[in-house]
Amino acid sequence: LGVQTLIEAAKKHAVKLFYQISTDEVYGDLPPGNFAKESDPLSPSSPYSAAKAAGDLLVLSYARTFDLPVIISRCTNNYGPYQYPEKMLPLFITNILRGEKIPVYGDGQQIRDWLHVSDHCRAIDLLVARGQRGAVYNIGANHQPEHTNLEIADLLLQELGAEPTVIKHVADRLGHDRRYAVDVQRIQSLGWKPVVPFAPGIRQTVAWYVQHPAWWKPLINH
């Protein structure tokens, strides 16, 4: 309903571009070795991803029916500074810094593709300037090897000098997909590629939260 309200306003006021930021979750769970292409069928698993998929289809319908200039991008998991502490990486980091347990869903073998927020911002800037109107673009890092959530947790423990005993396995989320991964050839054809390597990016992110407790502590204690 939010997308419908916004895109109807965009049509009414003849905006130059309606940019829909979507998610790789719309493709659903992918087996190892598979990477979703923009043309693949959408197969969302959760109410959230179903709503995002519905928003994407609505945006594309306005492009076709009303010739509205639109672009949709589907990005993988972001990380970096200023990410709200409820998200996985800042939650784990800030919990470790506060001496709290870090909750790992299920067996922790879920796989996500982690993209530094600065690389995502560069991709958006490029697509606004040079992206094909009416097109969908995947954005992702495609790090190899892929990292499970449990491996991410272990990496954060190493960076912060914490013991594995702070990991607490909790009940898995309902409808929790095991793996997301996207094919990024379309946006790469425009000259984009991620420039922040995974390990240095994680270290920089950890350092940022260590150095900025005045930013995140009020959000946790609110």
Side-chain angles (χ1 to χ4, degrees):
L1 291 175
V3 172
Q4 183 180 13
T5 299
L6 289 171
I7 201 163
E8 184 62 29
K11 178 173 75 73
K12 177 180 178 181
H13 296 284
V15 301
K16 295 181 180 179
L17 175 64
F18 187 94
Y19 193 114
Q20 164 84 346
I21 294 185
S22 187
T23 170
D24 59 350
E25 292 190 41
V26 299
Y27 297 116
D29 205 357
L30 293 182
N34 283 29
F35 294 84
K37 299 182 184 303
E38 291 87 349
S39 57
D40 285 354
L42 305 186
S43 184
S45 302
S46 67
Y48 166 78
S49 56
K52 294 292 284 188
D56 289 4
L57 296 176
L58 189 62
V59 169
L60 292 174
S61 76
Y62 269 68
R64 178 163 181 171
T65 303
F66 304 111
D67 201 28
L68 191 71
V70 308
I71 287 178
I72 297 173
S73 63
R74 296 171 179 153
C75 190
T76 59
N77 282 41
N78 278 207
Y79 74 97
Y82 292 105
Q83 189 171 30
Y84 201 80
E86 69 177 7
K87 300 299 183 182
M88 190 182 104
L89 263 67
L91 174 66
F92 285 9
I93 294 168
T94 55
N95 275 19
I96 294 170
L97 292 174
R98 294 185 303 131
E100 302 285 340
K101 297 285 188 179
I102 58 175
V104 174
Y105 283 124
D107 60 8
Q109 296 306 304
Q110 302 87 357
I111 291 173
R112 301 293 182 263
D113 179 43
W114 295 93
L115 182 72
H116 194 273
V117 63
S118 62
D119 283 327
H120 189 190
C121 290
R122 289 191 309 102
I124 294 171
D125 188 54
L126 173 65
L127 293 178
V128 168
R130 296 178 50 201
Q132 178 184 343
R133 275 37 180 172
V136 179
Y137 292 87
N138 290 333
I139 306 172
N142 288 169
H143 291 301
Q144 294 297 330
E146 297 178 327
H147 303 282
T148 67
N149 286 353
L150 191 56
E151 289 170 341
I152 297 284
D154 288 336
L155 179 60
L156 297 178
L157 295 180
Q158 293 172 28
E159 287 295 321
L160 290 166
E163 296 297 324
T165 52
V166 304
I167 293 177
K168 179 183 179 181
H169 287 270
V170 297
D172 208 351
R173 283 167 43 191
L174 296 176
H176 199 186
D177 292 326
R178 295 292 279 180
R179 179 179 177 269
Y180 297 137
V182 294
D183 183 293
V184 295
Q185 293 183 69
R186 179 173 291 176
I187 191 170
Q188 285 182 341
S189 71
L190 298 179
W192 177 89
K193 65 178 180 179
V195 298
V196 180
F198 180 71
I202 290 293
R203 286 195 293 270
Q204 292 165 11
T205 299
V206 169
W208 188 91
Y209 282 92
V210 169
Q211 297 162 10
H212 293 85
W215 181 83
W216 55 262
K217 280 188 175 180
L219 299 178
I220 291 176
N221 298 327
H222 179 67

